[in-house]
Structures are given as structure tokens and as C-alpha cells.
Amino acid sequence: MREIVLGTAGHVDHGKTSLVRALTGIETDRLKEEKARGITIELGFAHLDLPCGHRLGIVDVPGHERFVRNMVAGAAGIDLVAFVVAADEGIMPQTREHFEICRLLGVKRGLVVITKQDMVDQEWLELVTDEVRDFLRGSFLEDAPIVPVSSTTGQGIDEVRRLLDQLVAASDFSEAAGPFRLPVDRVFTMKGFGAVVTGSSISGRISLGDEVCFYPRLVSGKIRGIQVHGQERNEVEAGYRTAINVQGVDKEQIHRGDVLASPDSLAPSYMFDADFLYLSGNDKPLKNRRRVRVHVGTAEVMGRIALLDAEELPPGETAAAQLLLEEPVSVWPGDHYVVRSYSPVHTIGGGVIWNCAPPKRRRFSESQRQVNREIFSLYREGTPEDLALFHLRESGIAGLTRQELAVRLGLFGKRLQKLLEKSISARRILIVEPDKQRMIAVETLDGLVVKAEKLLAAFHGDNPLKSGLSAEELRGRLARALSARLFQIVLQEADKKGVLKQEGSLIRLASHQVSLAGDAETLRRELLAFYRAAGLQAPTLRETLEAHGKYPQELVRELLAVLVRDGELVKVSEDLYYDSGVLDDLRAKLVAFLASEGEIDAPRFKNLTGLTRKFSIPLLEYFDRVKLTLRIGDVRRLR
């Protein structure tokens, strides 16, 4: 059963760490500098056992503006927020920024704690409380309880515990679906054990001995040890503050921002499609392709925001965007992200990721922008089946393996299997490589059949005397890098629909018939008569072209190919054609000779036929090639 993680949020020196210490008795400031300066710089961790029977994990985040990036890392994976405001100062710059970060990361529940109540009088406390209510109006914390406390005297601390107990007891403890994922917020080495990472697990479960992978670096290892709040565990699931000792990995190979996950559950990507909310507190419009800091999970990478439907975005507006990153990240659709400005650094927006591996989207024409609008409408409103088909359509002839599709959908196991079975049985998805579970959209196959039909129609129009196009040439014209397996499926589908026929290595439209125009039919008769009259003293190709010089040479060559295909002529060599009847007579004569004499050599073949070497050698080689004779040294025998 998953557990719940609470994160603190609020301005520097508003008493977040003191509140955690008063609630749990745990000191989360662990660095010398933190203790000396009295502010949290790095993330701190604690836990609280509640009357409802659950142990609440707590992440204490820094409030100083210089360390907000650490705050964003700590907020990744929290379920509840303790929104802290000091009674003596009220709403301050990082109060607002922390609140926006929680909103952008999709935090839905929490409570408000007004600290340092012992430092102000009742009238001032009421003024600050009213200010906080006004600030939170219309937000996810609008109806959240507000509790004044003093971490010094302990006043109000029991009420905070009681409210946390209620919030946790009312939480959904069902296991977060999918493979295990843990955004790494800390990496260190334990002597004798090796690399250890910590973070809040956000989906799935993992056990001792399991193989894991760090994304996007693709560094693999094995789980050697698991700790939750300092206690050894054999397994851990979503919702826990977790420390994991990984065997086979050096500390230098992993960093904060990596994601420890089950193998094959993520993929590195330099871009993603997302809705982007540009916060209303910004003072000027956002220009297209502005360079920014992108926070995803516990990672911070530089990138640019490509607006897909506008040149600029006014404050308070949401837009379809593509985030173009300078380093890879590994995410699922549905993950949240935060964007901070490049310089000076402050939070400017964020949103929800829709596609973790999109192609680069164009935006220069109105038609391209309309396509982008339709894509994002599908992201927001489409069913999982709709999205699966969309991803397969975008992958085109390359298709996607089952695992690649799972990562794009963020859907795994039985849920993905059920979706695929439904779509395959409805003939919306086609498996083209069963061994690799590679799939394409049936729409892609149908498009290839239509394109093949158009290509062949154009070919027949340009080459009416040719019976068809070679299979390999058709495959090359259909699509670059079209696999032989998919090409065969296209041919089978087109044949089933009665669109085309395959005859040997040639492909033709099922409706195509070689038809000769008047001149071509006259030439056909002349060529047949010419070769029959020549007998075994066949003309060379050059002599044939010269003898029929009133016709275009290309037409003569095409008709010779037609006569060969129809069996009326036989092509003995590149230069010699024979009337098939004449050649049949010679074949019978040669068989009779070999049956009587047993073998024949070139001189005896010349005596048998009365032919010179110019004709006898090509004919002997032809009979070898069609496997009538077998050459052994200088003689031939019947096969």
C-alpha cells in the first residue's frame, strides 16, 4: 500500500524547518552551513507517525530564492503541502513563488500554517490570516484549514498533527500504476555499500535484487538495499521517501535529476509536447523560443519554449508548446514541469506533459498550426485507444514496439494488453513483427496500398508495353527504409483487395493488360516474321534495330521484351533472340544426338547445326543455363 508525502513551502526564514522539528522531533538541517546561517539550503527529510496508522514522509525544502531549484526538486512527488507563512511578515516573494510551483506541479491538497504567532498580537494575526485567505482565493488551497502555531511554545502543533491525520486518512492509498519510478534528489556513497540514492517514489514497486536503470543516462544496476525512514525493507512502492543502495553503479555515474526506474520503462528525449501556463504575475509577454530553465522531476535542464500557435504569449494565458531541451530527460505523459527564467531567475510557468517523444512540430503556416491544435485537442480529450493510434500514425512505417508504445502512453501491463487486444481485433492496429512486437496503425498500411496503386497506375501510363514494375523498385518508390516484411504485407493486402498482382519479380495493377497500338502491332508481326525467316542464323540486336529503323529504337526494344514475355521469342544472350519454334526444333535435335552419342563438344555442335562460333557458343551456354545440358570440361551431356 502506497504512503503519503508532505512537502513544506514558503518564504525563507518563515519557520518551515522549525515547524517540522516541532511536529516530528527531527532536525532536517544537516549541513554545517545550514546550522550556521539558520536557513535550509538542501532538502531535509523527516517522518511523522499518525494516529490513523500511517507514517507520513516529510520533505523540508529551502525557502531562499537562491535555492528555489532545490525546492522544486523536493516538491517532485509530494502529495500534500504545508503552506507556511510567518505571522510577522505575511505573504513574501518566495511565498508566492513556492505556491505557484506547487500549483504547477499538480499538488491538490494541503493545509496552511501561520508560524511565529507568539511574535505578534491577535489583531495582527487576524490581518495576516485575512491576507492569506485573499491570496489563496480561487486556488487548490482556497478551502484548506489555516492553523496559527508557535514552534517555540508548541501552541497549535497538536492541531496541525490532527489535521494532517485527517488529510492522510482521507487519501487514496491504492498503488500508483506502472513500473517503479523514483526521481533522484540526492546521491552519496556509504562505505562498504557503494552508491546510495534518495527520492520520493512516484509509481510502481521494487524489491531487493531487482534490476534497475538510471534514466536518461541508461546506467544499469541491481538493488542491494532499501531503506524507508531509516528502516530496512525488502520492497518499496509509490509514496515513500526512500533510500536505495544500488550495486554495480559508481556515484560519479548518477546525479540529482536522474530517474531510477524499472528497465525499459522510460526513454531519453530532448523534447516534449506540453500545455504551458504563463503565470499572470509575469510583467511582459513570453516570446517564442525564449531560453529558460526547465524543471522536470528533480532535474533542471536548459531549453527553449516553442509556441505552436502564436509568436508570443500574454501573462495568465495557456498555450500549446514544445519544449526543446539542451540535455535529455525521461518522463511520462501526465508528468508536471516547472519553467523558470534564464536570468534573473524566477518561476514563470509550467504545466502538464502530453508527449515524451514527439517529432519536431512545424508552426509557420496556418495549416500547420491547425494540425497542432488538433493534436493538442486529442491530447486533452482523447481516450487511451485514440492516443495509441495517434502515436502509431506519427511513427509511420517504422512503427513502435510494444515497449515504445507503453512509454509514450505511460500505460503498462494488463491495461496496455487490454487496449491492444481491443484495437488489434477491431483492425485498427497491425502487428508487423511478432518477434519484436512491432506495430503500425492500419491506416499506415492502407496508405501504402493506395500509394502503390497510384505508383503502378503512373508506371503503366508511362510504359504501356511493360507488364509491370519490379518488386524491389516498387518497394523503393513506396517509402525509404520500408522493411521487406512490411512490403510483403502491403502486397498481400493489395492482392486481397484486388488492387494488384505479382507475377514472378514483377508487380502490376490487377486491371493492367499490355495493349498494342496500330504501329506497335504492325511492328510485332514484322519482328516475328523477321526472326522466323532468320532461323538459326539469328540477327544481332543491332541488326534488328537497323532493319526496323523506321520505328523508334525504344519501341523495338520494348516489343522484343513483350515477345519474350509472351514466349514467342527466346532471349539467348544480350545480343541474340530466336524464334521459339526454331529453338524448339534445335532442342529436339540436340537431345536426340546426346541420347545417341552421350556427349557433344563445340566442334561437333557446329557440325550438327552448321553454325559458326558466333552462334554456337551462345546457344550451348543457353542450353547449360536452362539446365538441358551439363558442361564437364569441354563436353556437354544431358542433365
Side-chain angles (χ1 to χ4, degrees):
M1 182 172 64
R2 77 184 301 273
E3 278 296 356
I4 305 300
V5 176
L6 171 79
T8 63
H11 194 74
V12 62
D13 202 30
H14 273 207
K16 297 184 294 297
T17 300
S18 298
L19 172 65
V20 173
R21 184 170 56 243
L23 283 170
T24 66
I26 297 172
E27 176 63 69
T28 58
D29 280 348
R30 52 188 172 80
L31 303 177
K32 277 186 183 179
E33 188 181 357
E34 290 177 326
K35 296 181 191 297
R37 294 172 62 181
I39 62 169
T40 299
I41 295 172
E42 267 291 356
L43 300 172
F45 309 108
H47 59 271
L48 177 63
D49 291 321
L50 297 168
C52 65
H54 292 280
R55 173 170 279 188
L56 180 67
I58 300 176
V59 182
D60 181 26
V61 303
H64 196 285
E65 62 178 331
R66 287 173 54 197
F67 307 115
V68 171
R69 68 185 185 91
N70 293 354
M71 182 271 167
V72 181
I78 69 171
D79 304 288
L80 304 173
V81 62
F83 190 61
V84 176
V85 181
D88 60 338
E89 289 191 332
I91 302 294
M92 296 292 284
Q94 265 58 64
T95 312
R96 298 177 185 277
E97 188 167 16
H98 280 212
F99 174 75
E100 294 292 7
I101 289 168
C102 290
R103 185 160 69 100
L104 293 168
L105 289 176
V107 181
K108 301 295 185 187
R109 300 186 303 145
L111 76 165
V112 181
V113 181
I114 299 180
T115 58
K116 306 185 181 182
Q117 76 161 36
D118 55 312
M119 298 178 66
V120 299
D121 58 30
Q122 185 61 33
E123 184 178 359
W124 184 266
L125 182 63
E126 290 174 2
L127 284 172
V128 172
T129 303
D130 289 341
E131 179 192 23
V132 171
R133 287 192 190 280
D134 288 342
F135 175 74
L136 297 175
R137 190 165 287 120
S139 77
F140 72 97
L141 288 178
E142 179 177 22
D143 299 322
I146 299 177
V147 188
V149 305
S150 168
S151 300
T152 303
T153 67
Q155 187 177 1
I157 296 297
D158 286 342
E159 178 64 7
V160 173
R161 286 197 191 97
R162 186 186 69 80
L163 290 169
L164 289 174
D165 186 60
Q166 286 184 355
L167 286 166
V168 171
S171 298
D172 179 11
F173 294 97
S174 58
E175 183 173 338
F180 184 80
R181 288 194 301 160
L182 180 141
V184 175
D185 54 38
R186 202 170 146 224
V187 184
F188 56 93
T189 302
M190 286 183 63
K191 190 172 181 180
F193 291 91
V196 177
V197 298
T198 68
S200 297
S201 50
I202 57 176
S203 69
R205 64 171 61 215
I206 205 158
S207 304
L208 289 176
D210 285 353
E211 299 287 337
V212 291
C213 184
F214 287 94
Y215 294 91
R217 301 173 194 278
L218 303 180
V219 175
S220 297
K222 183 180 286 190
I223 301 297
R224 184 178 182 179
I226 300 172
Q227 278 195 3
V228 176
H229 306 307
Q231 296 180 344
E232 300 288 339
R233 294 281 190 91
N234 289 326
E235 68 174 18
V236 69
E237 58 194 4
Y240 286 89
R241 282 297 311 169
T242 307
I244 298 179
N245 177 208
V246 186
Q247 184 179 359
V249 177
D250 294 330
K251 177 178 178 289
E252 291 71 25
Q253 293 178 278
I254 46 181
H255 301 83
R256 172 189 280 182
D258 292 349
V259 182
L260 182 149
S262 304
D264 300 321
S265 61
L266 290 164
S269 176
Y270 283 89
M271 68 179 78
F272 55 79
D273 287 347
D275 279 337
F276 176 70
L277 168 63
Y278 190 47
L279 295 173
S280 57
N282 293 297
D283 57 3
K284 58 184 178 181
L286 176 81
K287 299 289 186 183
N288 179 51
R289 294 187 67 83
R290 177 174 169 183
R291 193 164 188 246
V292 294
R293 302 172 187 272
V294 182
H295 295 260
V296 183
T298 56
E300 178 189 7
V301 299
M302 302 304 298
R304 295 185 185 275
I305 301 177
L307 302 174
L308 298 180
D309 195 23
E311 290 304 320
E312 62 179 31
L313 183 65
E317 295 291 318
T318 299
Q322 190 163 70
L323 278 290
L324 311 173
L325 308 176
E326 296 175 14
E327 299 175 52
V329 297
S330 294
V331 295
W332 282 351
D335 287 351
H336 290 73
Y337 70 102
V338 172
V339 171
R340 306 188 78 220
S341 56
Y342 176 59
S343 180
V345 182
H346 62 277
T347 302
I348 62 171
V352 179
I353 296 168
W354 294 119
N355 188 343
C356 56
K360 194 168 184 179
R361 304 212 181 277
R362 301 187 180 278
R363 52 180 295 280
F364 301 111
S365 69
E366 178 55 31
S367 62
Q368 289 168 342
R369 294 186 180 193
Q370 180 57 35
V371 168
N372 292 335
R373 292 183 205 119
E374 292 170 0
I375 288 171
F376 274 74
S377 177
L378 178 65
Y379 287 153
R380 297 173 191 127
E381 301 169 15
T383 65
E385 290 86 354
D386 294 334
L387 292 168
L389 286 171
F390 165 75
H391 288 300
L392 287 169
R393 283 197 301 270
E394 281 214 324
S395 69
I397 63 169
L400 295 171
T401 65
R402 179 192 176 104
Q403 203 62 43
E404 289 167 340
L405 181 60
V407 173
R408 279 168 170 75
L409 293 172
L411 201 63
F412 298 82
K414 292 180 180 178
R415 294 171 65 201
L416 178 64
Q417 182 63 28
K418 186 176 179 180
L419 180 155
L420 291 177
E421 287 174 353
K422 181 179 177 182
S423 297
I424 291 169
S425 64
R427 206 179 175 279
R428 293 192 289 267
I429 292 175
L430 176 70
I431 297 178
V432 294
E433 293 181 39
D435 55 333
K436 296 180 181 178
Q437 283 290 287
R438 185 172 296 279
M439 299 166 278
I440 63 167
V442 169
E443 289 176 41
T444 301
L445 173 64
D446 292 342
L448 288 169
V449 171
V450 170
K451 187 175 180 181
E453 185 176 9
K454 289 179 179 178
L455 285 170
L456 285 169
F459 175 79
H460 291 321
D462 294 338
N463 304 275
L465 299 182
K466 292 185 177 178
S467 57
L469 186 62
S470 77
E472 277 308 304
E473 190 170 355
L474 177 61
R475 176 183 166 193
R477 291 190 191 184
L478 266 179
R480 283 190 348 182
L482 180 64
S483 72
R485 168 68 180 156
L486 181 52
F487 180 58
Q488 284 304 312
I489 292 173
V490 172
L491 296 183
Q492 291 164 11
E493 183 70 11
D495 181 65
K496 190 166 66 176
K497 290 182 175 181
V499 171
L500 59 78
K501 292 292 181 186
Q502 182 169 8
E503 294 170 342
S505 63
L506 296 181
I507 314 291
R508 65 173 174 84
L509 287 179
S511 58
H512 175 67
Q513 300 250 341
V514 174
S515 57
L516 302 181
D519 285 352
E521 181 59 38
T522 301
L523 175 58
R524 176 181 177 278
R525 288 196 298 269
E526 289 180 9
L527 286 171
L528 276 175
F530 184 64
Y531 277 97
R532 281 174 186 159
L536 290 176
Q537 304 281 340
T540 64
L541 178 59
R542 180 179 176 181
E543 290 168 342
T544 301
L545 293 173
E546 289 174 352
H548 300 83
K550 66 179 179 178
Y551 297 101
Q553 287 193 1
E554 185 59 31
L555 178 61
V556 176
R557 291 176 186 274
E558 286 185 357
L559 273 172
L560 286 173
V562 169
L563 290 168
V564 169
R565 189 203 68 217
D566 292 345
E568 294 183 277
L569 291 183
V570 176
K571 186 177 182 180
V572 168
S573 70
E574 287 302 315
D575 204 40
L576 291 175
Y577 293 78
Y578 280 85
D579 176 81
S580 58
V582 170
L583 203 60
D584 286 342
D585 291 344
L586 177 59
R587 176 193 291 260
K589 196 172 183 180
L590 177 60
V591 169
F593 182 89
L594 289 170
S596 169
E597 303 296 328
E599 62 184 29
I600 194 169
D601 56 16
R604 282 189 283 177
F605 185 77
K606 286 172 63 178
N607 293 335
L608 178 69
T609 60
L611 296 173
T612 65
R613 184 177 180 82
K614 169 185 172 181
F615 299 104
S616 62
I617 296 302
L619 284 167
L620 281 170
E621 290 175 346
Y622 166 75
F623 287 127
D624 290 341
R625 194 164 62 248
V626 298
K627 300 191 182 334
L628 176 70
T629 56
L630 176 66
R631 181 174 178 176
I632 303 171
D634 292 331
V635 301
R636 266 99 175 164
R637 294 175 181 167
L638 277 176
R639 276 188 179 266

